[in-house]
Each structure stands twice: as C-alpha cells, then as structure tokens.
C-alpha cells in the first residue's frame, strides 16, 4: 500500500501485484509471513540462508555506513566469518547453507530472531486459504532431536559471532508452522539444548495452532516458559464457526478460546492473527462480528489483522463456499476490506491489546493499543475510505 505523500491520495493495495510478488518470492527464504515487509528485508529475501545471517548481523550492528544505535557495535568493522577454530569445520556460514528445508516463514516481529527448524511443514495443512506448506518438500516431519541439537550448535556459533560484534542477546523462532505440535517433553528437550548453546538466550517464540495445546496442560506450558518460551503466534483466522468450517481450519471458536485462555493461565504471551476477507462478501459481517467477540473474550496480548490473498488461485478456497446462494465465494474489493476492518474494530472490547495491521498484505497500516486508540484507528479507516479506491 502506497502511503499518502505531499497531500496526494494514496492508492489502495493492488491484489494482482501482491499475488505476483508472493509467487516470485516463495522459492526463497520467506521473511515476514508471506512476503517481506520492511525495505531492508525485501533485499534479504533473495539471499541464501548464510548470506541472510551475514546481512542480519550487519543490519544489527550498523555496518555499511549506518551509525549504530547499539552499544558495542563498530560501524567500521565488518563481523568476521567464523572458521574451524570456532568449532565448526569449514566455517559456520558454509554449514548454514543446508540448514533449512525451504521455504521458511516467520512473523514480522521475528526479523531479528535465529530460526530453528524443529518441524518441517504443517501437520494439519488442510486450510483452503494457506499455500505456505503445500510444496512437495514441505511434507510434515518432526526433526529428530539429534538433528535439532546439531542445528543448535551451528546457530550457537552464529550467535556468539554476532554478540561478539555487539549484537543483543539472541532470540530463537521455532519453525515451521507447527512446532508446537511436538510433545511437551520434546519441546522441553529442545529448549534445554538451546539454553546450553546460548546461555544468554533472550526468548523463544513459535507459531501455534489451537489444537497444538489440547494435549498440553497449563503446568506443561509453565515449564516451557521457565525454559525461555515467551510468545506464541496463534492463527485463529476467524471467530466464526461457519467460516472456520468452510475454510477447513479444523478449529472452532470454542477451541481457539480454550487455547488462548490456557496460554494466559501459563503466563505466555499470545499474538493472534485474524484474516480479513476470509469469508468473502456474503459472510463478511458475521466473520467480523464473531472474530471481534472471540478477541474480546480472549483479551490477547497482541492482535494482528492480515488480508487473505490467493497467489496460486482461489479455486481451492472457493470450493468450501460452493453451496452458498448466488455466486459462492466472492473476494472482497479493497473498500469492502476497509469496511470489514471497521466493523471488526468497532465491536472489539479490548483493555490493553497491542494492535497491528501492518503486514505487507494490508491495504492500510494501522498501529495502536486497543481499546485506548480505537477512536483514532476508526478515524483513519474512515478517512481512507472517503478517498475511494
């Protein structure tokens, strides 16, 4: 979405351009969910894994002429590449090239995190709107513990190199989309190994499906929190049972609420994602209202809204709506998305939830704390809608 500059009207997001961008970027390491979001990440999306870590170190420490804001970073000194003397034969970066089964995805907020792939793909992988893990090489597989610990040794070497250049303590994001499907005992072993390799580890985060928590008690989650797990990104997508059924999510409003309440009881942060446009035109209102009701009851720590897109076509998604009167699933136009967002935010009753609508898929970037900033966010939506498409 092009921002408004110099009083000119900002055009709404172009779905076709977004779809093309996703298709072009999918074969490489994915950075911010479906496509990179920040300008600095757009270039990094085309790099190898090794080059990505090198650039991230440079970005953290202000290399290439940028003044560093981090204590201990020397803008004039490029971080050295680790060698066999650091404990990894042939150098850390050479070994990193084969570390991941790509593509790999992570949330925008994890831009500075090291990615530890403990599973490959998604164990559910039936959502009609999601193409993230449909490539043949992304068939679901839990990595054996010895592979994970070997990967941790490599990432530990990267972390030591970065911190020696003044970078902050490391953070880890557990990939892929279903890391929390692992048993609590396996997750505990992974986190314990991470603490050994990175004693200064700041935090660990992961995607999480609500179903991932059905077999985990609050006490299980508290143990994981004590070992560094802090934030779980929960893709609720909708709070409406009909929409969830039609898109093959395999969850209900009740199962999502139970999972979010369990996270809160364990002291873990929840970052929830809602997908605008998921129900199409006919189910737009009930999708917005039911999603707002779910969020109001759950009171998540963070809430993000994204816009559903179909880079590989929407035929699979439309199948679930074929029995609707009329033309079945009809994708929302940009102004209709803004209307759905307005309807959603108007009905939210949140006390202190950090809200973001700044993913690359969004038509309008919104940031605030709900409910404190609701009037301002609604005013921004209304102002943009008045400008027209």
């Amino acid at each position: 979405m092009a921002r408004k500059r110099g009083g000119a009207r900002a055009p709404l997001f172009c779905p076709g351009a977004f779809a093309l961008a996703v298709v072009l970027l999918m074969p490489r390491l994915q950075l911010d969910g479906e496509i990179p979001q920040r300008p600095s990440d757009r270039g990094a999306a085309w790099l190898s894994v090794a080059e990505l870590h090198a650039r991230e170190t440079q970005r953290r420490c202000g290399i290439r002429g940028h003044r560093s804001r981090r204590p201990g970073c020397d803008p004039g000194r490029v971080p050295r590449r680790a060698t066999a003397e650091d404990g990894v034969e042939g150098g850390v970066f050479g070994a990193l090239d084969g570390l991941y089964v790509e593509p790999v995805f992570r949330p925008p907020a994890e831009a500075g995190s090291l990615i530890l792939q403990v599973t490959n793909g998604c164990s559910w992988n039936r959502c009609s709107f999601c193409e993230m893990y449909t490539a043949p090489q992304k068939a679901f597989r839990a990595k054996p513990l010895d592979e994970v610990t070997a990967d941790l040794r490599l990432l530990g070497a990267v972390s030591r190199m970065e911190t020696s250049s003044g970078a902050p303590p490391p953070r880890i994001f557990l990939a892929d989309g279903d890391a929390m499907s692992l048993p609590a005992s396996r997750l505990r072993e992974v986190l314990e190994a991470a603490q050994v390799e990175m004693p200064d580890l700041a935090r660990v985060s992961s995607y999480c499906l609500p179903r991932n928590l059905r077999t985990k008690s609050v006490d299980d989650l508290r143990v994981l929190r004590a070992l560094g797990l802090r934030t779980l990104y929960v893709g609720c997508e909708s709070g409406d049972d009909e929409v969830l059924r039609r898109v093959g999510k395999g969850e209900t409003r009740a199962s999502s609420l139970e999972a979010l309440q369990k996270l809160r009881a364990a002291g873990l942060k929840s970052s929830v994602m809602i997908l605008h446009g998921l129900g199409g035109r006919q189910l737009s209102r009930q999708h917005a209202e039911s999603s707002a009701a779910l969020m109001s009851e759950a009171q998540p720590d963070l809430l993000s809204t994204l816009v559903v897109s179909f880079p590989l076509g929407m035929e699979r998604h439309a199948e679930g709506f074929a029995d609707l009167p009329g033309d079945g699933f009809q994708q929302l136009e940009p102004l209709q998305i803004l209307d759905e967002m307005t309807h959603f935010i108007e009905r939210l009753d949140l006390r202190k939830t950090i809200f973001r609508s700044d993913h690359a898929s969004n038509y309008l970037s919104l940031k605030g704390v709900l409910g404190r900033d609701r009037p301002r966010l609604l005013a921004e939506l209304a102002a943009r809608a008045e400008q027209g498409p």
Side-chain angles (χ1 to χ4, degrees):
M1 199 278 294
R3 295 183 181 273
K4 185 176 180 181
R5 294 182 180 178
R9 191 171 70 183
L12 283 175
F13 179 82
C14 173
F18 173 66
L20 177 61
V22 174
V23 171
L24 290 174
L25 290 169
M26 281 185 71
R28 301 300 301 163
L29 183 66
Q30 306 297 299
L31 295 172
D32 287 334
E34 289 160 3
I35 67 170
Q37 180 183 25
R38 300 182 322 184
S40 61
D41 285 340
R42 293 183 185 275
W46 300 95
L47 301 177
S48 69
V49 172
E51 292 168 322
L52 174 66
H53 281 293
R55 176 166 290 193
E56 179 63 20
T57 300
Q58 293 170 338
R59 183 184 68 79
R60 284 182 177 185
C61 291
I63 307 300
R64 296 182 179 172
H66 297 289
R67 184 176 299 278
S68 172
R69 296 182 180 180
R70 302 188 183 278
C73 286
D74 179 3
R77 179 165 58 86
V78 176
R80 65 181 178 83
R81 293 203 172 197
T83 65
E85 295 177 358
D86 294 293
V88 182
E89 185 66 32
V92 172
F93 285 102
L96 282 172
D97 278 329
L99 190 62
Y100 303 116
V101 179
E102 298 186 28
V104 176
F105 300 83
R106 60 136 175 86
E110 300 301 322
S113 298
L114 295 168
I115 297 176
L116 177 64
Q117 200 170 34
V118 296
T119 62
N120 181 51
C122 172
S123 65
W124 179 249
N125 210 24
R126 302 176 202 175
C127 299
S128 63
F129 55 88
C130 181
E131 308 286 352
M132 290 168 65
Y133 304 108
T134 56
Q137 73 274 18
K138 299 303 293 185
F140 181 76
R141 168 180 176 263
K143 269 192 173 184
L145 184 60
D146 58 345
E147 288 185 26
V148 175
T149 53
D151 293 348
L152 270 170
R153 284 193 291 272
L154 285 169
L155 294 178
V158 170
S159 173
R160 288 188 292 274
M161 183 196 67
E162 289 189 332
T163 53
S164 70
S165 300
R171 301 182 305 183
I172 287 178
F173 179 75
L174 300 179
D176 267 340
D178 217 6
M180 289 299 293
S181 65
L182 296 176
S185 57
R186 169 59 62 83
L187 290 166
R188 186 175 65 247
E189 292 173 321
V190 170
L191 295 176
E192 287 172 344
Q195 294 287 348
V196 170
E197 292 297 331
M198 304 178 202
D200 58 343
L201 183 62
R203 76 174 195 198
V204 180
S205 57
S206 173
Y207 285 131
C208 178
L209 299 177
R211 69 172 48 81
N212 294 159
L213 303 183
R214 290 174 191 168
T215 58
K216 296 176 178 65
S217 68
V218 171
D219 286 340
D220 288 334
L221 296 172
R222 284 173 177 160
V223 169
L224 299 180
R225 186 185 185 282
L227 291 170
L229 185 64
R230 289 293 181 269
T231 302
L232 291 177
Y233 297 88
V234 184
C236 290
E237 327 302 357
S238 177
D240 187 78
D241 283 342
E242 181 181 357
V243 172
L244 291 169
R245 175 179 59 81
R246 289 182 180 278
V247 303
K249 179 67 180 178
E251 301 286 355
T252 63
R253 179 191 188 280
S255 67
S256 295
L257 179 60
E258 180 184 4
L260 294 173
Q261 290 175 333
K262 188 177 285 189
L263 293 178
R264 180 170 293 279
L268 290 165
K269 288 185 177 181
S270 59
S271 182
V272 177
M273 291 162 281
I274 295 293
L275 271 179
H276 283 304
L278 190 63
R281 295 181 188 177
Q282 296 197 49
L283 303 183
S284 177
R285 283 300 171 102
Q286 69 185 64
H287 169 52
E289 292 174 3
S290 299
S291 298
L294 172 61
M295 293 300 97
S296 298
E297 188 168 356
Q299 296 291 319
D301 298 284
L302 303 101
L303 170 61
S304 299
T305 60
L306 295 77
V307 176
V308 68
S309 60
F310 305 101
L312 302 183
M314 68 178 189
E315 290 78 11
R316 185 166 71 105
H317 184 73
E319 288 176 3
F321 297 79
D323 63 333
L324 282 178
D327 297 327
F329 182 81
Q330 300 175 53
Q331 191 169 7
L332 268 62
E333 298 293 334
L335 287 179
Q336 293 171 325
I337 288 288
L338 295 180
D339 181 66
E340 183 175 288
M341 292 178 68
T342 299
H343 204 66
F344 173 67
I345 294 176
E346 282 178 340
R347 283 152 182 78
L348 286 172
D349 184 15
L350 299 173
R351 293 186 289 274
K352 194 177 180 181
T353 296
I354 297 172
F355 176 75
R356 294 289 184 266
S357 178
D358 59 353
H359 183 267
S361 65
N362 289 108
Y363 301 154
L364 178 66
S365 179
L366 298 173
K367 298 181 181 181
V369 177
L370 291 171
R372 182 191 71 192
D373 297 325
R374 181 165 62 178
R376 174 178 61 80
L377 297 177
L378 290 173
E380 291 180 18
L381 279 164
R384 186 60 193 88
E386 287 177 3
Q387 295 176 358

